[in-house]
């Protein structure tokens, strides 16, 4: 018995040793379960969080997309009408009910940047992009290969034509400019409404062209002007009716060039003869036309910015100037855009006579706080009525298109001490020779940029000299294709050169007394008119000039905000530029309109959409959004269906365009 007890003892000892271990393991398991339940055991990494976040977004997006495709097509309109009330019939349906039908063929002339461009030949980095859109559409290639995209969108800096090994061409057909990007219409709404009364592709023509090229070069390279001529002739011959031309933005000055080209003798012109326009054109309905140029083009060419970019730079200092992966954003934009010769067609024309000088401007006394509604504007509108207040910022005049410092912008002319920049000696900046992105500022050096600043103030007449000083290579090409003055004698043989054809102050309208010309544009939106600049002392590889966003009066009635003086217009083109020629320069028989073509002003007061469901609105006066303005579309359709100015009611004016025009002392 004692022996058995001795033999069992080790087993008991072993069992007693194992039991605590088993108990410990069970406790560990229980604790692990508790930790798993409480989330304490597993630690989440950043990758896990990112994956969950992306997954949730994708799931929500898929659900929303499913619901959007599953809902009835009439549901968005039902919700909109439930909130805002019944919406008016689109112009197409309205005029269809009135019995209007397609009559005159319609030709669309797109403006700058709104026409799609596609690749036909490129470098190795553009492999797989044959006939894919580099401009317009989704802009996917901008994000995938930005430097490659910039190289293919840039023209030759010497010739203004294709660089070696690259061919980018305009998209053809109505799809060239119906939408600028998916969901962002340009001509699509007008085309759809015209289709309601019987128009189709054989009676509508989109005159697509490469908007980067100088106007005459579109003919030299692509024979675009010849194509426009032959298509208009075909449409007129098959329909038996004259064409209605509808240009937009820069397309307005492009078609002005065309009207001189088509009548000029070959080989420089189209050889159509002096009566071609009279035989083929019923009306020209210009939409947002920068006939006298756009101050906004100055800031773009001078510093590759405008008010929106300047404000963005102020909100996020250094972002646009930082060299991220050797991609200097604004420097690349400047290098590219300065090869687009067409941009120089929008430099302000007419100099101080049109735009004002150091101590005066046609719009002097304007205050943006005066007219805040369409009813107020209509009540005060008229050919000789003053809609604006007598507000004037000290001695400031809109004629000072560029000023270095707010003090210079507001100083009395007698207090301005300016040092002429034209004969200043330029000096190369050694540090800039290592820059990845070359621009002409690197040839000026510190002495050249300082000379620009010391001149203090620039009027419209001095802007051309300034651009010749800071960008001589760019302006050498521009001066060969465009002019910016006022003709003394329009019968002088020199004005037969094509460089004058797009300047309404240095060319005559065609001999077509039965033709009508309309200036159709938006008003009621603050539009860039003049700028306050500053120089960056240590520019390095960056652009040495910036809009001074700290220059701000802060008053409700002030036109100076974030370094930009604003005036009435469509947000891009001032009313003075869009309306002056039809208000005065071409009105009646003048030396610019010897045959007395009838001209009319049609202004559309801007009314933003009431809510997000209305999209971009049907009463917008903004430069591009106006293409969906129901009133403008109806005006175009009535003329295309055979109507005249009497059917439209003649002039429709909300701004002070007639008052401003009277202040301009132009010999007519």
């Amino acid at each position: 018995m004692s022996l058995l007890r001795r033999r069992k003892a080790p087993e008991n000892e072993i069992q007693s040793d194992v039991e605590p271990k088993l108990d410990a393991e069970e406790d560990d398991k229980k604790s692990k379960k508790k930790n798993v339940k409480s989330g304490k055991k597993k630690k989440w990494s950043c990758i896990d969080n990112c994956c969950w976040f992306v997954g949730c977004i994708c799931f929500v997006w898929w659900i929303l997309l499913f619901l959007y495709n599953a809902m009835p097509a009439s549901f968005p309109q039902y919700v909109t009408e439930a909130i805002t009330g019944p919406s008016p019939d689109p112009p197409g349906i309205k005029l269809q009910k009135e019995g209007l039908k397609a009559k005159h063929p319609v030709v669309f002339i797109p403006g700058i940047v709104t026409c799609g461009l596609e690749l036909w030949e490129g470098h190795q980095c553009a492999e797989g992009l044959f006939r894919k859109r580099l401009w317009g559409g989704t802009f996917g290639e901008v994000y995938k290969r930005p430097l490659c995209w910039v190289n293919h969108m840039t023209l030759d800096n010497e010739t203004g034509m294709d660089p070696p090994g690259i061919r980018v061409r305009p998209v053809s057909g109505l799809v060239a400019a119906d939408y600028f990007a998916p969901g962002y219409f340009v001509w699509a709404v007008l085309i759809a409404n015209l289709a309601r009364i019987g128009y189709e592709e054989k009676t509508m023509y989109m005159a697509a062209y490469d908007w980067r090229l100088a106007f005459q070069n579109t003919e030299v390279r692509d024979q675009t002007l010849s194509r426009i001529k032959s298509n208009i002739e075909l449409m007129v011959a098959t329909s038996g009716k004259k064409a209605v031309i509808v240009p937009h933005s820069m397309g307005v000055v492009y078609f002005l060039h065309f009207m001189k080209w088509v009548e000029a003798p070959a080989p420089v012109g189209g050889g159509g003869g002096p009566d071609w326009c009279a035989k083929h054109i019923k009306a020209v309905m210009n939409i947002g036309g920068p006939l006298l140029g756009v101050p906004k083009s100055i800031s773009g060419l001078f510093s590759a910015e405008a008010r929106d970019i300047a404000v963005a730079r102020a909100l996020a200092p250094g972002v646009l100037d930082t060299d991220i992966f050797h991609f200097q954003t604004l420097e690349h934009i400047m290098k590219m855009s300065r090869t687009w010769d067409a941009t120089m067609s929008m430099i302000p024309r007419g100099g101080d006579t049109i735009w004002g000088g150091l101590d005066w401007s046609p719009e002097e006394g304007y205050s943006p706080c005066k007219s805040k509604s369409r009813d107020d504007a209509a009540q005060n509108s008229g050919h000789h009525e003053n809609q604006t207040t007598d507000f004037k910022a000290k001695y400031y005049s809109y004629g000072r298109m560029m000023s270095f410092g707010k003090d210079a912008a507001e100083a009395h002319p007698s207090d301005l001490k300016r040092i002429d920049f034209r004969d200043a000696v330029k000096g190369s900046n050694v540090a800039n020779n290592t820059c990845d992105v070359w621009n002409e500022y690197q040839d000026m050096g510190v002495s050249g940029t300082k000379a620009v600043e010391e001149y203090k103030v620039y009027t419209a007449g001095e802007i051309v000299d300034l651009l010749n000083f800071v960008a001589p290579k760019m302006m050498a090409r521009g001066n060969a294709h465009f002019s910016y003055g006022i003709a003394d004698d329009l019968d002088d043989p020199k004005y037969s050169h094509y460089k004058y054809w797009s300047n309404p102050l240095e060319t005559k309208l065609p001999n077509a007394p039965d033709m009508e010309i309309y200036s159709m544009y938006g008003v009621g939106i603050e539009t860039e008119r003049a700028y306050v600049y500053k120089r960056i002392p240590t520019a390095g590889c960056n652009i040495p000039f910036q809009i001074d966003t700290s220059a701000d009066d802060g008053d409700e009635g002030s036109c100076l905000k974030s370094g930009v003086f604003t005036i009435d217009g469509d947000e891009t083109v001032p009313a003075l530029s869009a309306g002056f020629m039809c208000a005065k320069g071409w009105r009646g028989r003048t030396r610019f309109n010897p045959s007395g073509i009838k001209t009319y002003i049609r202004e559309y007061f801007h009314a933003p959409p009431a809510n997000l469901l209305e999209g971009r609105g049907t009463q917008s006066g903004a430069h591009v959004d106006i293409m969906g303005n129901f009133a403008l579309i109806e005006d175009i359709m009535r003329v295309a269906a055979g109507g005249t100015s009497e059917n439209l009611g003649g002039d429709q004016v909300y701004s002070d365009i007639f008052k401003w025009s009277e202040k301009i002392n132009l010999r007519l």
Side-chain angles (χ1 to χ4, degrees):
M1 293 294 292
S2 62
L3 181 61
L4 290 172
R5 288 174 182 172
R6 288 177 184 175
R7 287 181 179 176
K8 290 180 180 179
E11 292 179 1
N12 294 335
E13 290 177 0
I14 292 172
Q15 186 174 0
S16 62
D17 291 340
V18 171
E19 286 178 354
K21 292 181 180 179
L22 293 174
D23 293 339
E25 289 179 359
E26 290 179 0
D27 291 340
D28 289 341
K29 290 180 180 179
K30 290 179 180 179
S31 63
K32 287 180 181 179
K33 290 181 180 179
K34 290 180 180 180
N35 290 336
V36 170
K37 290 180 180 180
S38 61
K40 294 181 180 179
K41 178 63 178 177
K42 188 175 181 180
K43 294 182 179 180
W44 286 76
S45 66
C46 292
I47 296 177
D48 295 326
N49 291 331
C50 290
C51 290
W52 270 100
F53 181 71
V54 172
C56 290
I57 290 179
C58 292
F59 179 75
V60 172
W61 176 258
W62 183 85
I63 292 294
L64 293 175
L65 189 64
F66 174 79
L67 293 175
Y68 177 79
N69 290 322
M71 75 171 64
S74 59
F75 184 73
Q77 182 180 356
Y78 172 79
V79 174
T80 302
E81 292 183 355
I83 297 174
T84 63
S87 57
D89 286 338
I93 295 178
K94 176 183 177 182
L95 299 186
Q96 185 184 42
K97 292 178 180 178
E98 292 183 15
L100 270 67
K101 296 185 180 299
K103 186 173 183 180
H104 296 273
V106 179
V107 178
F108 310 118
I109 314 290
I112 192 170
V113 310
T114 56
C115 184
L117 301 176
E118 60 187 16
L119 183 69
W120 281 81
E121 180 184 3
H123 295 158
Q124 186 175 359
C125 67
E127 187 70 26
L129 297 181
F130 176 68
R131 293 200 65 197
K132 296 292 195 322
R133 290 200 182 195
L134 293 187
W135 188 270
T138 61
F139 286 91
E141 299 310 316
V142 179
Y143 311 111
K144 295 178 183 177
R145 29 191 159 183
L147 290 177
C148 182
W149 177 82
V150 167
N151 290 335
H152 284 75
M153 285 296 296
T154 301
L155 296 171
D156 188 275
N157 199 37
E158 299 292 336
T159 64
M161 302 286 270
D162 291 326
I166 294 177
R167 282 187 294 151
V168 176
R169 297 293 182 265
V171 179
S172 59
L174 295 177
V175 296
D178 55 351
Y179 287 91
F180 176 67
Y184 190 86
F185 68 82
V186 182
W187 294 91
V189 179
L190 175 58
I191 292 171
N193 279 278
L194 284 168
R196 289 277 188 178
I197 61 172
Y199 279 91
E200 49 190 287
E201 197 149 12
K202 69 180 180 181
T203 49
M204 292 187 289
Y205 170 59
M206 183 71 71
Y209 62 100
D210 191 338
W211 43 263
R212 302 172 301 162
L213 300 177
F215 299 160
Q216 192 67 11
N217 279 344
T218 63
E219 173 65 16
V220 173
R221 196 193 73 177
D222 301 333
Q223 294 77 54
T224 303
L225 298 175
S226 294
R227 294 173 187 271
I228 296 174
K229 175 177 180 285
S230 60
N231 274 282
I232 292 177
E233 290 173 343
L234 175 63
M235 295 170 77
V236 170
T238 54
S239 67
K241 303 294 181 182
K242 296 180 183 180
V244 173
I245 314 298
V246 188
H248 173 243
S249 189
M250 192 185 75
V252 172
V253 289
Y254 183 66
F255 191 74
L256 184 63
H257 179 96
F258 170 84
M259 287 194 293
K260 295 300 293 184
W261 173 88
V262 73
E263 295 186 345
V268 177
D275 59 349
W276 190 94
C277 291
K279 290 180 178 179
H280 295 88
I281 301 176
K282 165 185 167 58
V284 181
M285 309 192 76
N286 298 320
I287 304 175
L291 284 164
L292 298 179
V294 183
K296 199 171 185 177
S297 67
I298 299 170
S299 61
L301 293 172
F302 186 67
S303 60
E305 60 181 342
R307 178 169 61 173
D308 47 359
I309 294 180
V311 171
R313 190 207 301 271
L315 294 175
V319 173
L320 293 175
D321 302 317
T322 302
D323 187 359
I324 303 175
F325 304 117
H326 298 286
F327 189 77
Q328 296 155 304
T329 309
L330 288 183
E331 283 69 25
H332 276 285
I333 292 174
M334 173 172 283
K335 178 186 176 183
M336 177 176 64
S337 62
R338 279 190 173 183
T339 66
W340 298 346
D341 291 350
T343 59
M344 287 176 277
S345 71
M346 294 186 290
I347 294 174
R349 299 184 174 93
D352 296 1
T353 301
I354 299 294
W355 297 94
L358 292 177
D359 57 353
W360 82 282
S361 63
E363 309 101 325
E364 188 172 1
Y366 170 80
S367 175
C369 69
K370 175 62 178 178
S371 63
K372 296 182 178 180
S373 68
R374 175 176 174 170
D375 295 336
D376 292 339
Q379 184 177 357
N380 292 302
S381 66
H383 292 201
H384 306 287
E385 295 295 327
N386 184 10
Q387 169 191 333
T388 59
T389 65
D390 294 329
F391 173 81
K392 182 167 67 174
K394 299 180 182 179
Y395 289 103
Y396 179 76
S397 165
Y398 280 110
R400 305 181 190 189
M401 201 161 279
M402 275 183 55
S403 305
F404 277 86
K406 182 182 175 183
D407 292 340
E410 298 177 343
H412 191 276
S414 61
D415 296 331
L416 286 171
K417 296 180 181 179
R418 304 196 289 171
I419 302 175
D420 198 348
F421 66 93
R422 295 175 180 86
D423 297 326
V425 177
K426 298 180 181 180
S428 61
N429 191 339
V430 178
N432 287 344
N433 292 334
T434 60
C435 293
D436 293 333
V437 186
W438 176 88
N439 61 65
E440 294 189 66
Y441 281 127
Q442 295 162 20
D443 295 336
M444 293 179 60
V446 176
S447 60
T449 57
K450 188 176 180 181
V452 172
E453 180 189 30
E454 289 178 342
Y455 197 66
K456 302 293 185 184
V457 173
Y458 295 85
T459 64
E462 296 161 334
I463 287 294
V464 177
D465 292 337
L466 172 64
L467 293 175
N468 278 312
F469 182 77
V470 302
K473 289 188 177 182
M474 176 190 76
M475 290 301 291
R477 301 191 315 271
N479 291 331
H481 287 275
F482 304 107
S483 65
Y484 312 103
I486 301 174
D488 293 326
D489 181 10
L490 286 169
D491 294 324
D492 190 323
K494 77 173 186 178
Y495 292 111
S496 61
H497 192 278
Y498 59 77
K499 68 179 288 184
Y500 300 102
W501 292 348
S502 61
N503 184 354
L505 301 173
E506 293 185 303
T507 191
K508 298 178 183 178
L509 288 177
N511 183 21
D514 295 331
M515 190 171 79
E516 294 180 331
I517 297 180
Y518 297 84
S519 280
M520 315 171 76
Y521 54 91
V523 294
I525 310 179
E526 294 182 4
T527 305
E528 297 174 40
R529 175 65 163 83
Y531 302 88
V532 177
Y533 267 89
K534 64 180 179 181
R535 181 174 69 92
I536 306 172
T538 56
C541 293
N542 297 328
I543 300 167
F545 304 107
Q546 292 181 2
I547 295 175
D548 187 1
T549 54
S550 65
D552 196 326
D553 278 342
D555 298 330
E556 182 183 1
S558 173
C559 302
L560 175 60
K561 296 178 181 178
S562 300
V564 180
F565 287 89
T566 57
I567 196 66
D568 198 7
D570 67 2
E571 198 173 33
T572 298
V573 182
L576 181 68
S577 178
F580 171 78
M581 292 308 297
C582 279
K584 184 174 181 179
W586 288 335
R587 183 145 296 209
R589 288 183 181 272
T590 69
R591 63 192 184 106
F592 307 107
N593 181 18
S595 65
I597 296 174
K598 294 180 181 178
T599 63
Y600 302 94
I601 297 286
R602 300 289 294 176
E603 293 183 345
Y604 305 87
F605 198 87
H606 175 69
N611 54 67
L612 293 176
L613 295 174
E614 291 187 10
R616 290 153 62 190
T618 60
Q619 300 181 61
S620 176
H623 188 62
V624 178
D625 294 354
I626 197 174
M627 302 294 282
N629 186 300
F630 278 9
L632 177 139
I633 293 174
E634 182 177 335
D635 286 349
I636 294 173
M637 293 181 67
R638 288 191 182 279
V639 174
T644 63
S645 59
E646 294 180 0
N647 301 98
L648 272 58
D651 293 322
Q652 176 178 278
V653 180
Y654 298 105
S655 73
D656 278 343
I657 183 61
F658 286 102
K659 174 182 173 61
W660 296 337
S661 298
E662 287 180 359
K663 293 183 180 180
I664 296 175
N665 186 19
L666 177 68
R667 182 172 63 86
L668 301 176

